[in-house]
Amino acid sequence: MDPQVFFPAVKTEVVEIAQRNKALGYRFAQMHCVKTPSEMFIIYTFEKQDLSIEQYRIPAETDGAVPSVSGVFLAAVLYENEISELYGVEFTGMAIDFGGTLYETAKPRAFAEVAAPVKKTPVKQAAVAE
Amino acid sequence: MGERTIIPFGPQHPVLPEPLHLDLILEDEKVVGAVPSIGFIHRGLEKLVEKRDFQEMAFVIERICGICSFIHGQGYVQTIEAVMGVEIPERAKYLRSFWGELSRVHSHLLWLGLMADAFGFESLFMHCWRVREKVLDIFEETTGGRVIFSVCKVGGLWKNVDDDTLRRIGGVLKDVEKDIRPLTDVFMRDYTVQKRCVGLGVLTKDEAFQLGAVGPMLRASGVAMDARKLGYAAYGDMEFEPVTENAGDCQARIAVRAREIYQSLDIIRQCIEKMPGGEVAVPVKGSPQGEYLSRLEQPRGEAVYYGKGNGTKYLDRFRVRTPTFANLIPLLHIIPGCDLADVPLLALTIDPCISCTER
Amino acid sequence: MSFLPKSPWLVHYDASSCNGCDIEVLACLTPVYDVERFGVLNIGNPKHADIFVVTGSVNEQNKAVIKNIYDQMAEPKVVVAIGACAASGGVFRECYNVSGGVDTVIPVDVYVPGCAARPEAIIDGVVLGLGVLEAKYGEKGKVAS
């Protein structure tokens, strides 16, 4: 399995990274957000025709703003809308803005709260009735 | 300049097996724009990582989609195995490729049938699904389930298949190939099919690459990208090349998927011939710590799986980027300019799996 | 014996289903299981249908659609909920966007368990639904002979 390298970057560099990668022949593959009790970041993945990828990790926070890369790669639009709806991160300058109606979930910003893991209670062995 | 009307398409529609809503903006009968509305299948299952431990989560991820079910399960366990550094036995890798390629055959046959139904060729739809039943019989014999198998686990597989059964299945698949031949001949050469599909929904090579198309949508425009070439599971030992066409229209996508069925049957033959012996699972101790991103080739395209563990038995995050999510923007790009009667065909040409898209 | 259960027409809707049960419903209509030989048609128009076949659990966006299709169907009508998700939410019942099975929105007459439900079980469920359909027609005081 190939080792995974996530280049760290900051949100102000995102558009420049996207433009640089586009010139090198990469295209936008995907982006997603990860939120844990201790940190929150967005991962961008760019892909080339020979299947090699380059990934970047950008720290982010709920209610923070990140510049949108949809001006460089239109494909990023759906991913950014999804992250902004589920995590509450605002992307400035999105080419198509669904305004929070992409999924219309029952619970808004559902992924922004990170619950403590459910502790499984040990199953008590039932007493066998004679 | 005609009048503009807006027609809602979906979510309940005879030709669409899944709910997808498109607001089509029409000028007379030509579609000039489409505004999608998704979210009918959004269950939010990625949040279940907090409630199910990493072994049980495999069953939830498998149920993202019933058609692409096996490869979702495979993608999940492969990612967690990479995070934990677990090396699974060779036989498990070969069996995963075997079932994965059978999944591809059944999915493409299903799609060919639905496409035939969409352009009005109902008897062809029935024939495709009849042949598909033989593939489902193989699944049922080897795994116990027709649609959702639950055979992948972190560390290998839950079930083994013995060599005699595999040899017999090889014989059955030769008959299946003979049955499929006349059907694909109709798809590729029939005059009525070509009248409907040639020149419809053209996506050029540059557009396909830049807009993020994956899978047959991309390969039909001439870009030879196939995630199986990364060599995961047993694909490193198999000989195959990505199937491409150059026209980029609906007919080219039909041709790519039809030829991929034969390619998959050939890979299955190679798997059965080269199948190594041994166990199919290794014991797994401990919990995942770390992160990994892996890519697999679903029948619909490249799927990306990202897993992050924090050392407890509940993962921090598991994320699935499914191929239809990436193909939605190209769909919105090819719809303007077509007739209203062609919209179902275009919606089906990306091989939509809305339950995959929305998880 | 009425004519009503002789050739029931279905309208099929996929609420938040993973598709497994839906392709098994379609597999019932294609060769090998083939219920079309009994006159069962998968019709797309709710106003022409007798049986409403629903798969999958219910989420926020689906409630209005399911109610809409159910209200458009003519009496007597039968609802068959297929699969574990339609019965109670299935594997996903603890998800934030899932409110439960189909019976949270409309009254269900027949539940077909399974994940995914097998075609044999689906046909069994539809046949049970036919009995319910005939009973409902009889309740209206009209028994066509």
Side-chain angles (χ1 to χ4, degrees):
Chain A
M1 301 283 181
D2 47 329
Q4 301 277 288
V5 182
F6 297 92
F7 296 111
V10 283
K11 50 191 172 187
T12 44
E13 298 172 350
V14 187
V15 181
E16 191 203 311
I17 293 174
Q19 281 164 340
R20 189 182 60 215
N21 279 334
K22 185 168 183 177
L24 288 173
Y26 284 91
R27 70 166 179 174
F28 185 84
Q30 67 106 31
M31 69 189 273
H32 66 272
C33 186
V34 180
K35 182 165 180 169
T36 67
S38 49
E39 55 180 348
M40 178 164 163
F41 51 86
I42 301 183
I43 293 195
Y44 288 74
T45 309
F46 298 97
E47 183 184 41
K48 240 186 182 170
Q49 257 192 46
D50 60 5
L51 295 177
S52 56
I53 51 173
E54 228 173 63
Q55 308 196 65
Y56 295 86
R57 189 202 308 269
I58 319 273
E61 60 275 329
T62 309
D63 290 321
V66 177
S68 158
V69 297
S70 51
V72 183
F73 291 112
L74 184 61
V77 128
L78 278 182
Y79 301 91
E80 289 176 348
N81 273 294
E82 187 191 18
I83 295 179
S84 85
E85 188 170 344
L86 294 177
Y87 284 89
V89 177
E90 194 198 319
F91 286 90
T92 48
M94 280 198 271
I96 307 176
D97 191 344
F98 279 84
T101 60
L102 188 63
Y103 289 139
E104 284 199 42
T105 53
K107 192 167 142 197
R109 297 185 167 195
F111 278 75
E113 312 162 10
V114 188
V118 170
K119 285 195 187 51
K120 282 200 159 159
T121 49
V123 174
K124 293 196 182 60
Q125 297 291 341
V128 176
E130 289 295 339
Chain B
M1 184 69 156
E3 268 201 23
R4 289 203 165 194
T5 30
I6 300 188
I7 290 198
F9 174 73
Q12 189 259 338
H13 194 273
V15 81
L16 283 180
E18 293 175 282
L20 165 69
H21 183 84
L22 287 172
D23 279 307
L24 301 168
I25 306 168
L26 301 177
E27 241 178 52
D28 292 333
E29 276 229 9
K30 278 252 179 265
V31 179
V32 294
V35 178
S37 194
I38 60 177
F40 293 96
I41 311 200
H42 182 69
R43 295 154 287 186
L45 53 87
E46 289 178 355
K47 202 109 168 72
L48 278 184
V49 282
E50 297 170 359
K51 300 190 180 141
R52 308 257 186 277
D53 65 52
F54 70 94
Q55 281 280 16
E56 291 175 346
M57 196 64 191
F59 301 123
V60 176
I61 298 288
E62 249 180 356
R63 286 161 170 83
I64 291 182
C65 173
I67 313 175
C68 340
S69 155
F70 179 77
I71 303 188
H72 276 311
Q74 183 185 4
Y76 175 79
V77 296
Q78 212 167 281
T79 310
I80 303 297
E81 282 160 6
V83 171
M84 295 177 77
V86 172
E87 191 57 43
I88 61 169
E90 284 298 309
R91 192 179 175 88
K93 289 186 185 165
Y94 273 75
L95 278 175
R96 281 184 189 173
S97 301
F98 166 76
W99 276 313
E101 291 307 304
L102 270 180
S103 271
R104 199 180 312 272
V105 171
H106 118 79
S107 171
H108 283 328
L109 277 174
L110 187 150
W111 179 82
L112 283 173
L114 287 179
M115 196 66 168
D117 196 30
F119 51 67
F121 206 145
E122 209 171 307
S123 55
L124 194 55
F125 161 51
M126 296 291 174
H127 276 296
C128 286
W129 280 56
R130 174 186 58 85
V131 178
R132 184 179 155 259
E133 290 287 332
K134 297 199 184 142
V135 178
L136 293 185
D137 283 341
I138 297 179
F139 279 134
E140 207 180 343
E141 190 184 337
T142 50
T143 67
R146 283 165 52 104
V147 172
I148 301 200
F149 320 136
S150 301
V151 270
C152 284
K153 69 168 176 173
V154 179
L157 298 168
W158 291 106
K159 290 194 169 77
N160 196 350
V161 183
D162 60 64
D163 290 323
D164 290 328
T165 315
L166 283 173
R167 259 191 294 276
R168 189 167 40 79
I169 289 175
V172 169
L173 287 174
K174 280 206 190 65
D175 291 332
V176 166
E177 193 172 342
K178 275 208 274 288
D179 268 336
I180 299 180
R181 276 282 153 204
L183 304 177
T184 47
D185 275 344
V186 171
F187 274 107
M188 315 246 273
R189 283 186 251 281
D190 188 82
Y191 169 72
T192 47
V193 174
Q194 294 192 336
K195 202 92 174 76
R196 268 324 276 273
C197 296
V198 170
L200 188 65
V202 178
L203 202 60
T204 61
K205 192 168 176 176
D206 265 331
E207 282 171 353
F209 187 69
Q210 286 304 326
L211 289 174
V214 289
M217 193 80 177
L218 183 65
R219 292 196 282 276
S221 298
V223 182
M225 278 176 75
D226 188 331
R228 288 176 290 174
K229 282 310 231 180
L230 287 170
Y232 62 89
Y235 291 110
D237 302 330
M238 302 287 140
E239 288 173 22
F240 64 98
E241 286 304 318
V243 174
T244 57
E245 291 274 328
N246 287 317
D249 56 10
C250 283
Q251 181 66 26
R253 285 172 218 129
I254 292 180
V256 166
R257 291 186 179 105
R259 285 166 55 198
E260 278 189 1
I261 296 183
Y262 297 113
Q263 184 190 55
S264 292
L265 289 171
D266 186 49
I267 297 180
I268 298 175
R269 208 176 357 251
Q270 291 180 45
C271 264
I272 297 180
E273 276 166 26
K274 301 179 186 170
M275 179 81 61
E279 289 299 309
V280 290
V282 290
V284 167
K285 290 201 204 0
S287 300
Q289 171 108 40
E291 56 187 354
Y292 194 83
L293 187 133
S294 62
R295 292 169 290 156
L296 269 73
E297 183 76 13
Q298 288 262 5
R300 285 157 183 76
E302 175 200 53
V304 177
Y305 299 86
Y306 169 85
K308 181 171 191 305
N310 57 10
T312 67
K313 61 182 180 174
Y314 296 99
L315 292 174
D316 260 341
R317 177 87 167 103
F318 194 80
R319 140 70 166 190
V320 183
R321 194 292 308 261
T322 50
T324 311
F325 198 81
N327 277 334
L328 274 178
I329 299 283
L331 171 67
L332 296 177
H333 182 80
I334 59 177
I335 281 191
C338 73
D339 291 318
L340 180 60
D342 281 330
V343 172
L345 269 183
L346 285 177
L348 275 179
T349 195
I350 65 169
D351 208 350
C353 190
I354 308 296
S355 49
C356 274
T357 311
E358 301 177 10
R359 296 152 283 127
Chain C
M1 172 112 134
S2 80
F3 290 112
L4 202 56
K6 286 296 183 185
S7 168
W9 283 11
L10 312 173
V11 63
H12 162 241
Y13 179 60
D14 168 350
S16 334
S17 164
C18 75
N19 272 331
C21 296
D22 297 296
I23 56 180
E24 296 292 64
V25 166
L26 283 183
C28 286
L29 299 158
T30 50
V32 178
Y33 293 101
D34 200 6
V35 292
E36 284 197 1
R37 57 197 154 125
F38 302 125
V40 178
L41 259 189
N42 187 9
I43 202 84
N45 191 334
K47 301 201 180 199
H48 297 175
D50 304 297
I51 302 190
F52 186 18
V53 169
V54 199
T55 56
S57 45
V58 166
N59 78 4
E60 266 320 286
Q61 291 213 19
N62 269 320
K63 290 182 178 155
V65 181
I66 296 179
K67 197 93 186 56
N68 187 9
I69 300 178
Y70 182 73
D71 288 338
Q72 284 186 50
M73 288 170 70
E75 294 279 355
K77 55 194 170 187
V78 164
V79 176
V80 180
I82 294 193
C85 289
S88 64
V91 193
F92 303 114
R93 68 186 166 280
E94 291 167 18
C95 288
Y96 61 83
N97 211 26
V98 170
S99 13
V102 179
D103 51 17
T104 54
V105 186
I106 53 177
V108 174
D109 298 294
V110 183
Y111 294 90
V112 179
C115 186
R118 291 187 58 95
E120 289 101 334
I122 296 174
I123 298 177
D124 218 10
V126 170
V127 168
L128 273 181
L130 293 179
V132 177
L133 191 64
E134 199 168 356
K136 285 190 180 178
Y137 197 58
E139 274 166 27
K140 283 178 170 295
K142 309 173 205 166
V143 178
S145 49

Short mmCIF file of all heavy atoms in Angstrom, two decimals, chain A residues 12-38:
data_model
loop_
_atom_site.label_atom_id
_atom_site.label_comp_id
_atom_site.label_asym_id
_atom_site.label_seq_id
_atom_site.Cartn_x
_atom_site.Cartn_y
_atom_site.Cartn_z
N THR A 12 -5.74 30.33 3.00
CA THR A 12 -5.53 31.41 2.05
C THR A 12 -4.76 30.93 0.83
O THR A 12 -4.75 31.58 -0.21
CB THR A 12 -4.74 32.54 2.70
OG1 THR A 12 -3.67 31.97 3.47
CG2 THR A 12 -5.62 33.35 3.63
N GLU A 13 -4.08 29.78 0.93
CA GLU A 13 -3.29 29.29 -0.19
C GLU A 13 -4.09 28.39 -1.12
O GLU A 13 -3.58 27.94 -2.14
CB GLU A 13 -2.11 28.46 0.33
CG GLU A 13 -1.15 29.21 1.19
CD GLU A 13 -0.13 28.26 1.80
OE1 GLU A 13 -0.31 27.03 1.70
OE2 GLU A 13 0.84 28.74 2.39
N VAL A 14 -5.34 28.08 -0.77
CA VAL A 14 -6.07 27.03 -1.47
C VAL A 14 -6.21 27.30 -2.96
O VAL A 14 -5.96 26.44 -3.80
CB VAL A 14 -7.48 26.85 -0.88
CG1 VAL A 14 -8.13 25.66 -1.50
CG2 VAL A 14 -7.43 26.65 0.58
N VAL A 15 -6.63 28.53 -3.29
CA VAL A 15 -6.88 28.82 -4.71
C VAL A 15 -5.58 28.73 -5.50
O VAL A 15 -5.52 28.23 -6.62
CB VAL A 15 -7.53 30.21 -4.86
CG1 VAL A 15 -7.81 30.49 -6.31
CG2 VAL A 15 -8.80 30.27 -4.06
N GLU A 16 -4.49 29.22 -4.88
CA GLU A 16 -3.19 29.18 -5.58
C GLU A 16 -2.74 27.75 -5.80
O GLU A 16 -2.21 27.39 -6.85
CB GLU A 16 -2.20 29.93 -4.70
CG GLU A 16 -0.88 30.22 -5.36
CD GLU A 16 0.17 30.44 -4.28
OE1 GLU A 16 -0.11 31.23 -3.35
OE2 GLU A 16 1.23 29.79 -4.35
N ILE A 17 -2.96 26.88 -4.78
CA ILE A 17 -2.61 25.46 -4.93
C ILE A 17 -3.40 24.84 -6.07
O ILE A 17 -2.86 24.09 -6.89
CB ILE A 17 -2.90 24.69 -3.62
CG1 ILE A 17 -1.96 25.15 -2.51
CG2 ILE A 17 -2.76 23.20 -3.82
CD1 ILE A 17 -2.28 24.55 -1.17
N ALA A 18 -4.71 25.19 -6.12
CA ALA A 18 -5.55 24.60 -7.17
C ALA A 18 -5.07 25.03 -8.55
O ALA A 18 -4.98 24.23 -9.48
CB ALA A 18 -7.01 25.02 -6.96
N GLN A 19 -4.72 26.33 -8.68
CA GLN A 19 -4.28 26.81 -10.00
C GLN A 19 -2.96 26.17 -10.40
O GLN A 19 -2.75 25.78 -11.55
CB GLN A 19 -4.13 28.33 -9.99
CG GLN A 19 -5.44 29.03 -10.12
CD GLN A 19 -5.34 30.49 -9.72
OE1 GLN A 19 -4.40 30.89 -9.01
NE2 GLN A 19 -6.27 31.29 -10.16
N ARG A 20 -2.07 26.01 -9.43
CA ARG A 20 -0.78 25.42 -9.73
C ARG A 20 -0.93 23.97 -10.17
O ARG A 20 -0.34 23.51 -11.14
CB ARG A 20 0.11 25.51 -8.49
CG ARG A 20 1.56 25.12 -8.75
CD ARG A 20 2.37 25.19 -7.48
NE ARG A 20 1.85 24.29 -6.48
CZ ARG A 20 1.86 24.56 -5.17
NH1 ARG A 20 2.34 25.70 -4.72
NH2 ARG A 20 1.37 23.70 -4.32
N ASN A 21 -1.80 23.24 -9.44
CA ASN A 21 -2.00 21.84 -9.81
C ASN A 21 -2.69 21.70 -11.16
O ASN A 21 -2.41 20.77 -11.92
CB ASN A 21 -2.83 21.12 -8.74
CG ASN A 21 -1.97 20.71 -7.58
OD1 ASN A 21 -0.78 20.51 -7.74
ND2 ASN A 21 -2.56 20.60 -6.42
N LYS A 22 -3.60 22.63 -11.47
CA LYS A 22 -4.28 22.53 -12.77
C LYS A 22 -3.26 22.69 -13.89
O LYS A 22 -3.31 22.00 -14.90
CB LYS A 22 -5.34 23.62 -12.87
CG LYS A 22 -6.16 23.51 -14.13
CD LYS A 22 -7.37 24.41 -14.07
CE LYS A 22 -8.20 24.21 -15.31
NZ LYS A 22 -9.42 24.98 -15.31
N ALA A 23 -2.30 23.61 -13.69
CA ALA A 23 -1.29 23.81 -14.72
C ALA A 23 -0.40 22.58 -14.87
O ALA A 23 0.11 22.30 -15.96
CB ALA A 23 -0.45 25.04 -14.37
N LEU A 24 -0.23 21.82 -13.78
CA LEU A 24 0.62 20.63 -13.84
C LEU A 24 -0.12 19.43 -14.41
O LEU A 24 0.46 18.36 -14.51
CB LEU A 24 1.11 20.26 -12.43
CG LEU A 24 2.15 21.17 -11.82
CD1 LEU A 24 2.39 20.77 -10.37
CD2 LEU A 24 3.46 21.07 -12.58
N GLY A 25 -1.42 19.58 -14.72
CA GLY A 25 -2.15 18.45 -15.31
C GLY A 25 -3.01 17.70 -14.34
O GLY A 25 -3.56 16.65 -14.67
N TYR A 26 -3.13 18.19 -13.09
CA TYR A 26 -3.98 17.52 -12.13
C TYR A 26 -5.42 17.98 -12.32
O TYR A 26 -5.68 19.05 -12.82
CB TYR A 26 -3.57 17.86 -10.70
CG TYR A 26 -2.33 17.15 -10.21
CD1 TYR A 26 -1.08 17.72 -10.38
CD2 TYR A 26 -2.43 15.92 -9.58
CE1 TYR A 26 0.05 17.07 -9.93
CE2 TYR A 26 -1.30 15.26 -9.12
CZ TYR A 26 -0.07 15.85 -9.31
OH TYR A 26 1.05 15.21 -8.86
N ARG A 27 -6.34 17.15 -11.88
CA ARG A 27 -7.72 17.60 -11.82
C ARG A 27 -8.20 17.41 -10.40
O ARG A 27 -7.57 16.72 -9.60
CB ARG A 27 -8.60 16.81 -12.77
CG ARG A 27 -8.81 15.38 -12.35
CD ARG A 27 -9.92 14.79 -13.11
NE ARG A 27 -10.11 13.40 -12.72
CZ ARG A 27 -11.11 12.68 -13.16
NH1 ARG A 27 -11.97 13.18 -14.01
NH2 ARG A 27 -11.24 11.42 -12.77
N PHE A 28 -9.36 18.01 -10.09
CA PHE A 28 -9.90 17.94 -8.75
C PHE A 28 -10.58 16.58 -8.56
O PHE A 28 -11.46 16.24 -9.31
CB PHE A 28 -10.93 19.06 -8.60
CG PHE A 28 -11.50 19.17 -7.24
CD1 PHE A 28 -10.83 19.88 -6.26
CD2 PHE A 28 -12.71 18.58 -6.92
CE1 PHE A 28 -11.35 19.99 -4.99
CE2 PHE A 28 -13.24 18.69 -5.66
CZ PHE A 28 -12.56 19.39 -4.69
N ALA A 29 -10.12 15.81 -7.58
CA ALA A 29 -10.72 14.50 -7.39
C ALA A 29 -11.80 14.56 -6.33
O ALA A 29 -12.94 14.20 -6.57
CB ALA A 29 -9.65 13.48 -7.00
N GLN A 30 -11.46 15.01 -5.11
CA GLN A 30 -12.49 15.11 -4.09
C GLN A 30 -11.98 15.98 -2.95
O GLN A 30 -10.81 16.31 -2.89
CB GLN A 30 -12.84 13.72 -3.57
CG GLN A 30 -11.74 13.04 -2.80
CD GLN A 30 -12.00 13.00 -1.31
OE1 GLN A 30 -13.14 12.93 -0.86
NE2 GLN A 30 -10.96 13.08 -0.51
N MET A 31 -12.92 16.38 -2.08
CA MET A 31 -12.49 17.04 -0.85
C MET A 31 -13.46 16.62 0.24
O MET A 31 -14.63 16.32 -0.03
CB MET A 31 -12.46 18.56 -0.99
CG MET A 31 -13.80 19.20 -1.13
SD MET A 31 -13.65 20.92 -1.55
CE MET A 31 -13.52 21.65 0.03
N HIS A 32 -12.98 16.54 1.46
CA HIS A 32 -13.89 16.20 2.53
C HIS A 32 -13.39 16.81 3.83
O HIS A 32 -12.25 17.22 3.92
CB HIS A 32 -14.05 14.69 2.68
CG HIS A 32 -12.80 13.99 3.11
ND1 HIS A 32 -11.86 13.54 2.24
CD2 HIS A 32 -12.34 13.66 4.34
CE1 HIS A 32 -10.88 12.96 2.92
NE2 HIS A 32 -11.15 13.02 4.18
N CYS A 33 -14.25 16.81 4.81
CA CYS A 33 -13.94 17.47 6.08
C CYS A 33 -13.93 16.41 7.17
O CYS A 33 -14.69 15.45 7.13
CB CYS A 33 -15.02 18.51 6.35
SG CYS A 33 -14.69 19.49 7.78
N VAL A 34 -13.03 16.58 8.11
CA VAL A 34 -12.96 15.65 9.24
C VAL A 34 -13.03 16.47 10.50
O VAL A 34 -12.29 17.44 10.65
CB VAL A 34 -11.63 14.86 9.23
CG1 VAL A 34 -11.56 13.92 10.40
CG2 VAL A 34 -11.47 14.12 7.92
N LYS A 35 -13.92 16.10 11.42
CA LYS A 35 -13.98 16.83 12.69
C LYS A 35 -13.90 15.84 13.83
O LYS A 35 -14.71 14.91 13.92
CB LYS A 35 -15.28 17.61 12.77
CG LYS A 35 -15.36 18.44 14.04
CD LYS A 35 -16.44 19.47 13.97
CE LYS A 35 -16.45 20.26 15.28
NZ LYS A 35 -17.26 21.43 15.24
N THR A 36 -12.95 16.02 14.71
CA THR A 36 -12.82 15.17 15.89
C THR A 36 -12.88 16.08 17.10
O THR A 36 -12.80 17.30 16.95
CB THR A 36 -11.48 14.43 15.89
OG1 THR A 36 -10.44 15.39 16.04
CG2 THR A 36 -11.28 13.68 14.59
N PRO A 37 -12.99 15.54 18.29
CA PRO A 37 -13.02 16.43 19.46
C PRO A 37 -11.80 17.35 19.55
O PRO A 37 -11.87 18.42 20.11
CB PRO A 37 -13.06 15.46 20.64
CG PRO A 37 -13.72 14.25 20.10
CD PRO A 37 -13.30 14.16 18.67
N SER A 38 -10.67 16.92 18.95
CA SER A 38 -9.47 17.74 19.14
C SER A 38 -9.10 18.60 17.94
O SER A 38 -8.36 19.56 18.07
CB SER A 38 -8.28 16.84 19.48
OG SER A 38 -8.23 15.79 18.55
#
